[in-house]
Amino acid sequence: MVVGQESHGAAAEPASFREAVAGLHEAVLRPEVFCEEMPAPQRIAPYAAALSADVTVEGAEVGTGRLILLHDPAGNDAWQGTFRCVAYVRADLDPDLITDPMLAEVGWTWLTEALEAHGARHAAASGTVTRVATESFGSMADEGATAQIEIRASWTPADGAGETYDVVPEVGAHAEAWGELLCTAAGLPPVPEGITAMPSRRGQRGTR
């Protein structure tokens, strides 16, 4: 996986951050997910790495998302740790589902279950789930209604012992959970138990 990092220079980056970013390279995503680097934010934390992803089924894009890994070696009380994952997911929905009163709660459950399924230990999770409905009128009326779900979340990744300060979290598991959230939100069926999904090609869009 190709990962974009804030430009501090490799020599200046803490070893713990370099190791955590290397963990992103080990994440295995489904073949429907195309993942590539994106510019990392430069003012939220001293160090950051960022990914973007699209979910494509039969040539149609059905979901998109971003994952940002932040690191502050001094620690952050709001994070309850030294690393923070920030995720965004947007996916198309059947317009009939947009009025389901349980949709937002279900959307948040997709995240927590994905983290649990991948053994991605974490703390201080927070976020929002937004439903977006669009209807067209006049000369655009034939375009029909559309609906989307947007999930914005952040959490503090932990190491295998559940510690969040002065540790190197198992970031690969968190990236895989984010990838699963993308696919679930986009309506892809889960991979059957006992079947291993082939990894996606990452950072290769447009190559020959």
Side-chain angles (χ1 to χ4, degrees), residues 18-148:
R18 294 198 302 270
E19 187 175 345
V21 171
L24 293 180
H25 292 260
E26 301 173 2
V28 177
L29 306 180
R30 290 176 56 157
E32 297 92 344
V33 180
F34 173 84
C35 190
E36 60 185 348
E37 66 178 308
M38 63 173 285
Q42 299 186 6
R43 295 181 176 84
I44 303 177
Y47 304 93
L51 304 171
S52 66
D54 297 323
V55 181
T56 304
V57 177
E58 297 180 353
E61 182 182 304
V62 295
T64 187
R66 299 186 298 270
L67 179 67
I68 301 170
L69 176 66
L70 305 173
H71 178 50
D72 186 343
N76 187 307
D77 290 341
W79 300 353
Q80 300 179 22
T82 49
F83 284 88
R84 189 73 171 171
C85 291
V86 180
Y88 170 76
V89 167
R90 186 183 76 241
D92 294 333
L93 279 180
D94 184 330
D96 291 339
L97 297 177
I98 203 70
T99 58
D100 187 337
M102 297 297 294
L103 180 60
E105 184 175 345
V106 169
W108 185 253
T109 300
W110 293 338
L111 169 64
T112 57
E113 290 184 347
L115 290 168
E116 181 178 357
H118 288 272
R121 304 190 69 171
H122 63 283
S126 63
T128 63
V129 179
T130 304
R131 296 173 286 184
V132 181
T134 303
E135 293 191 39
S136 301
F137 299 92
S139 61
M140 299 175 62
D142 59 349
E143 295 186 9
T146 62
Q148 294 179 326

